Each structure stands twice: as structure tokens, then as C-alpha cells.
Amino acid sequence: MAGAKRKPYHHGDLFGALLAAAERLLRHGGIAELGMRAVAREVGVSHTAAQHHFGDMAGLLAELAAVGYRRLASALEATRDLAASERARRVALAKAYVDFARQNPALFALMFRHEMLDMRRPSLAQASGTALRALAGSLVGSAETVGELSRPSALRITAGWGFVHGLATLLVDKRLRGVLKATPMFDDPDDLVDAVLDATTLTQP
């Protein structure tokens, strides 16, 4: 894909086009395929045009991870009013988190590669904070997440996040094959994870 001839870019949202190109490269080739020149070539603009928007590779990665966090936050917030009971709402939240990882495995992996990301960059800090508040708000109630958390709420958020993030990571990293080989009860990893989510309560520790 990166080597294909592209038409010159003339108009529109160049910043958005560069980010979309970066996500395509990430999805098809992983982080190894990402680079300022590769992204610029994908869109059909000069390397300096990409540099103008991101500054350097750290800036590009931060902005791309911010896209992921905003998308995750939207998915989590969309579950807020869907379920009638507290338990159903939390299960819906967990499924939304895992589904995001399932549908965006490369982007999900990048979002938690903190050794590659400068979390102090404003857009990334804001986006990741929004996603965490959406997660926390569904686990303990949005009112408390505005101020200081109580000990029980901090435990609930940490336990709930650890649970759903662990499941998502196991699924994305294809770590559940051993479990599947040991039981005929599930057709594939998605079936197994969905059954775990349906059985969970995400109650306070």
C-alpha cells in the first residue's frame, strides 16, 4: 500500500487525512510501518507537510493514540443509557471495551505502549482522561469521578478496568487458544470472552 502511487493532496482536512493514513498503515503493517515519510507518501504530500502538523514521530504517535482514546470514550459513553439495571450497564460497558479492542487491535495496542507515547501531550492527555472518566463513571457513578475518589470506588475502578483490559488483551494477543483446546464448550476466543462477560458482575471488591 505504501508504495502505491498517490494523487497529490490539494484540499480538505490534511491533519485528519494524515491521521487516517497513519491508522491504515498501523492496521496493515503494525508500528514498524509507521513513519512520517510513509504517512506523507500515503496521502500524497511532502514530508515537511506532515512535519508541520505533528512535529516529529512522537507527535504523530500521540495524535494517533488520542484518536483511539476518543473512539474508546465514545463507545463507553454510548452504553450509559442502554441498560436498565446497574449490572446490565456494567456488562454493556465491559463488552464495549472488549469490542473496541477486538475491532481495533493495532490501535488498542498502541494506546497502551506508554514507552512510545508522551502522555503529557495535551491532546493525548485530554483524550485518555476522557476515556478513563467514561469508564469510571459507569463503574462508580459520574458524580464521584468529578472529585476525589473514595477507597471503595478506587478499588472498584481498578478491579473493573483490570478485568476488562485483561480480557481485551488476552483476546487481541491470541492468548486463549490453550483454554479452547481444553474444552469443547466454546467455538472460538470471541465466544469464550463473550461468555465470561455475560457471567460477570463487576461488583465492588
Side-chain angles (χ1 to χ4, degrees), residues 29-193:
I31 293 175
E33 288 293 318
L34 281 180
M36 202 78 75
R37 292 186 186 279
V39 171
R41 187 166 57 247
E42 179 77 4
V43 176
V45 298
S46 69
H47 173 244
T48 54
Q51 252 185 337
H52 172 74
H53 285 283
F54 303 111
D56 54 17
M57 188 61 184
L60 172 63
L61 292 177
E63 293 296 341
L64 186 54
V67 168
Y69 277 111
R70 285 192 289 270
R71 198 176 295 164
L72 174 60
S74 294
L76 297 178
E77 288 167 353
T79 69
R80 187 172 300 161
D81 300 321
L82 293 180
S85 69
E86 182 177 346
R87 179 189 181 280
R89 187 182 71 247
R90 289 176 181 170
V91 171
L93 175 86
K95 287 188 174 183
Y97 192 103
V98 172
D99 283 344
F100 171 83
R102 183 162 30 205
Q103 295 166 16
N104 305 274
L107 186 58
F108 180 78
L110 173 65
M111 289 159 56
F112 295 95
R113 291 287 299 273
H114 284 196
E115 81 281 7
M116 301 184 69
L117 298 174
D118 183 357
M119 300 302 295
R120 298 167 298 178
R121 298 214 175 214
S123 61
L124 179 53
Q126 182 180 31
S128 61
T130 299
L132 179 57
R133 285 191 295 274
L135 179 71
S138 290
L139 291 174
V140 301
S142 57
E144 190 175 357
T145 61
V146 175
E148 184 176 340
L149 290 173
S150 64
R151 185 178 188 277
S153 292
L155 292 177
R156 178 178 289 181
I157 290 170
T158 303
W161 190 10
F163 174 75
V164 297
H165 188 79
L167 275 181
T169 301
L170 288 172
L171 186 60
V172 167
D173 289 349
K174 299 180 174 23
R175 299 289 184 177
L176 295 170
R177 291 172 180 169
V179 176
L180 289 172
K181 287 180 181 179
T183 177
M185 301 302 295
F186 302 98
D187 295 328
D188 53 42
D190 291 321
D191 187 29
L192 173 59
V193 169

Side-chain angles (χ1 to χ4, degrees), residues 2 5 17 84 154 200:
K5 185 176 289 186
T200 189

